[in-house]
Amino acid sequence: MRGVLIAATASFETDRALRLSPQVGLRPEPFGALAYHFDSRRLVFLKSQELVELVQALSRHRTAADAVSAAPSTHSPASYIAALASLEEAGVICEQ
Amino acid sequence: MSSSTPALVDQLKSGLDAPICLTWELTYACNLECVHCLSSSGRRDQRELSTAEARRVIDELRDLQVFYVNIGGGEPLVRRDFFEILEYSIDNHVGVKFSTNGYLLDQAKADHLATLDNVDVQLSLDGADAATNDPIRGEGSYAAVRRAIDNLGRAGFENFKISVVATRHNVSQMDAFEQLAGDHGAELRVTRLRPSGRGADVYHELRLTQPQQVDLYHWLLARPHVLTGDSFFHLSALGEPLPGLNLCGAGRVVCLIDPVGDVYACPFVIHDEFLAGNVRSPGGFRRVWTQSELFGALREPDNPGACASCGSYDACGGGCLATKFFTGLPLAGPDPDCVFGNADDALSGIDPQSVPRASQDHSKPARTKVVLTRKG
Ligand code: SF4
Ligand code: SF4
């Protein structure tokens, strides 16, 4: 969730309403979840339970920023946002 | 696949709740007799799963959220219920990638496939011309694949795959394969020749030479868009890791369901030692995946054996379990294609009689040679 994602974070706007893409299947795993995009055939790892919960909670919040501030403080808001940015780039999440 | 942190690799090694890469060979029947067939296919097995049993397997995969299944054989298109199984699977959100030799992929089937979502087609081709391909896959098989490519093209089927097993004779043709794929809007997939099934009979003469391995490594490194699955992670010992999953996933994230429902750790280890159970037994596939003692053992941390002192072990992991097993090498230790030649001594000391053979052989009986003698 770090390093490579900085580029994506820079252009990620947190004032948008986001959701799990309807093209994506999410499978719980001990480390978090596996996401599979049925169109692009991409497999993406969500590497913590908190991130999985955040992704699932996105649609219940008006903005991504709201969802992040409601997420448990086990991870920093910056790392959540970086993870969301990369998930959007991978097509796992999209605008509502 | 996204980049893996070391912690994630460890997670994958200890196994997932369901496989990521599940191969399901639908039949041992095949219209071809490729010399390197990993499943020694040819004749149909009478115990083959019925259509109803195949549907039950798909129900299980759906419930386990297996996102897609790699269907192979044998030749899957020889099953009359192939499209029924295929459509049942995608209707249940289990995507299908299937491998075919192309012979039976006529225009009508190509047109039909183009109307379906979540289906990938993979055409097997082992030479960029008939002279290279046909000695491996059989007379006329190159022309058959070219016809299938044209049929898919006319049908507007996008992004199908051309899948090549790299051998000593075709590795110099990689640019030509890439060109062929590019010309038809297809993707190129290159995989490793392993001594599995009939592959054991040709492995030593067809496997890549050491300089060819090095060339292929650099060729692949420059082409991250070429698909390789888990074929070449032993080459990552040469330097920068190749893209893809750099670990042996047998029984951890990979497994095989064979045509009679037997579950093996990987499509390349059809041997009793790697047989975990059968989907027909109580508890079905899920029970095999989660409870089998064999899979439990495979999910333990690897024993590096003689690779322990190698500085490249993190990248290479000692290579492919199946390749070691079917060449008679210890499973803990270097791969026969170790880029530093660290298995060469052990390999030359192995008695060919002691090497394990695949437990299933559905090869067609050798053609009896008719000897013409003159009367009188
Ligand atoms: S045994 Fe070889 S082919 Fe099978 S999963 Fe391991 S590395 Fe891959
Ligand atoms: S010695 Fe083992 S770990 Fe090192 S490169 Fe050879 S096979 Fe890989």
Side-chain angles (χ1 to χ4, degrees):
Chain A
M1 291 197 274
R2 292 165 304 272
V4 287
L5 308 176
I6 288 166
T9 313
S11 58
F12 184 77
E13 284 161 24
T14 55
D15 57 354
R16 296 169 301 147
L18 299 176
R19 58 175 292 196
L20 180 67
S21 160
Q23 307 302 321
V24 167
L26 206 58
R27 177 171 111 194
E29 285 292 345
F31 58 83
L34 262 177
Y36 182 69
H37 196 292
F38 281 96
D39 277 347
S40 70
R41 318 280 203 259
R42 259 180 93 172
L43 200 54
V44 177
F45 296 91
L46 275 61
K47 293 172 216 161
S48 76
Q49 295 298 345
E50 293 83 358
L51 179 58
V52 178
E53 283 159 30
L54 169 61
V55 164
Q56 284 165 332
L58 281 173
S59 61
R60 295 196 297 272
H61 291 274
R62 212 174 35 81
T63 68
D66 289 353
V68 168
S69 51
S73 55
T74 17
H75 303 281
S76 70
S79 75
Y80 281 130
I81 289 169
L84 290 179
S86 83
L87 291 176
E88 184 177 31
E89 209 171 60
V92 175
I93 59 174
C94 61
E95 293 191 7
Q96 281 181 26
Chain B
M1 206 164 292
S2 82
S3 65
S4 315
T5 62
L8 182 65
V9 167
D10 290 338
Q11 289 279 6
L12 295 180
K13 283 189 178 170
S14 61
L16 298 181
D17 290 355
I20 300 179
C21 190
L22 174 83
T23 298
W24 183 9
E25 318 273 42
L26 280 187
T27 180
Y28 279 120
C30 190
N31 47 333
L32 296 186
E33 298 172 77
C34 300
V35 297
H36 59 349
C37 178
L38 77 158
S39 54
S40 303
S41 285
R43 290 168 295 124
R44 183 183 304 276
D45 193 304
Q46 299 305 318
R47 301 164 298 163
E48 200 166 82
L49 297 181
S50 67
T51 314
E53 286 174 314
R55 283 170 181 261
R56 277 202 290 282
V57 169
I58 294 162
D59 292 342
E60 277 210 78
L61 302 183
R62 174 200 57 214
D63 295 346
L64 285 165
Q65 281 192 280
V66 172
F67 298 121
Y68 64 88
V69 54
N70 303 293
I71 285 186
E75 170 53 49
L77 286 174
V78 305
R79 269 192 79 132
R80 285 206 200 96
D81 55 2
F82 174 75
F83 277 94
E84 196 180 336
I85 294 171
L86 173 74
E87 286 171 38
Y88 187 75
S89 191
I90 55 183
D91 288 347
N92 279 282
H93 305 289
V94 181
V96 171
K97 307 186 182 185
F98 79 93
S99 293
T100 171
N101 59 41
Y103 261 92
L104 300 170
L105 221 174
D106 58 21
Q107 194 61 55
K109 290 198 182 77
D111 290 344
H112 183 52
L113 286 167
T115 65
L116 302 173
D117 282 337
N118 288 324
V119 176
D120 279 340
V121 180
Q122 202 164 279
L123 293 168
S124 304
L125 181 69
D126 292 329
D129 45 51
T132 314
N133 178 79
D134 289 7
I136 304 276
R137 307 191 55 83
E139 202 59 43
S141 57
Y142 177 81
V145 169
R146 294 303 301 256
R147 276 196 303 276
I149 289 176
D150 291 341
N151 293 343
L152 287 170
R154 271 191 295 268
F157 190 103
E158 282 165 13
N159 282 326
F160 62 92
K161 274 101 187 140
I162 295 176
S163 188
V164 177
V165 176
T167 67
R168 198 165 293 190
H169 303 309
N170 69 18
V171 72
S172 60
Q173 302 180 322
M174 287 299 149
D175 289 331
F177 288 121
E178 196 184 26
Q179 178 83 44
L180 178 70
D183 288 349
H184 294 88
E187 288 179 85
L188 178 61
R189 180 169 179 267
V190 181
T191 63
R192 179 177 180 191
L193 173 73
R194 297 174 177 100
S196 310
R198 288 195 294 269
D201 304 332
V202 293
Y203 173 72
H204 291 283
E205 53 183 285
L206 291 183
R207 70 183 176 132
L208 303 186
T209 64
Q210 210 57 275
Q212 286 178 330
Q213 289 210 103
V214 175
D215 286 349
L216 181 62
Y217 165 76
H218 291 291
W219 193 88
L220 290 171
L221 204 57
R223 291 167 185 80
H225 52 275
V226 173
L227 309 167
T228 55
D230 71 351
S231 280
F232 296 113
F233 62 86
H234 68 292
L235 299 183
S236 293
L238 289 165
E240 200 184 318
L242 292 170
L245 194 61
N246 283 326
L247 67 94
C248 170
R252 294 164 160 165
V253 299
V254 174
C255 77
L256 166 73
I257 302 177
D258 93 338
V260 302
D262 280 339
V263 181
Y264 292 93
C266 147
F268 292 90
V269 285
I270 300 184
H271 188 281
D272 291 345
E273 232 173 275
F274 296 98
L275 175 61
N278 189 290
V279 300
R280 282 170 166 145
S281 26
F285 174 75
R286 181 196 293 263
R287 191 184 163 102
V288 179
W289 179 260
T290 56
Q291 311 282 316
S292 121
E293 257 175 61
L294 169 71
F295 285 179
L298 288 171
R299 290 166 193 167
E300 293 293 318
D302 294 309
N303 171 4
C307 293
S309 56
C310 174
S312 298
Y313 184 72
D314 280 349
C316 155
C320 166
L321 178 94
T323 307
K324 294 189 262 197
F325 183 75
F326 285 121
T327 45
L329 287 173
L331 301 185
D335 188 290
D337 292 322
C338 166
V339 295
F340 303 126
N342 285 340
D344 293 357
D345 286 348
L347 207 54
S348 60
I350 284 171
D351 167 15
Q353 300 304 316
S354 70
V355 173
R357 295 283 305 180
S359 311
Q360 301 280 337
D361 188 353
H362 293 80
S363 303
K364 292 170 196 162
R367 279 184 221 98
T368 12
K369 288 200 184 85
V370 182
V371 185
L372 296 174
T373 47
R374 258 180 145 191
K375 275 185 193 163

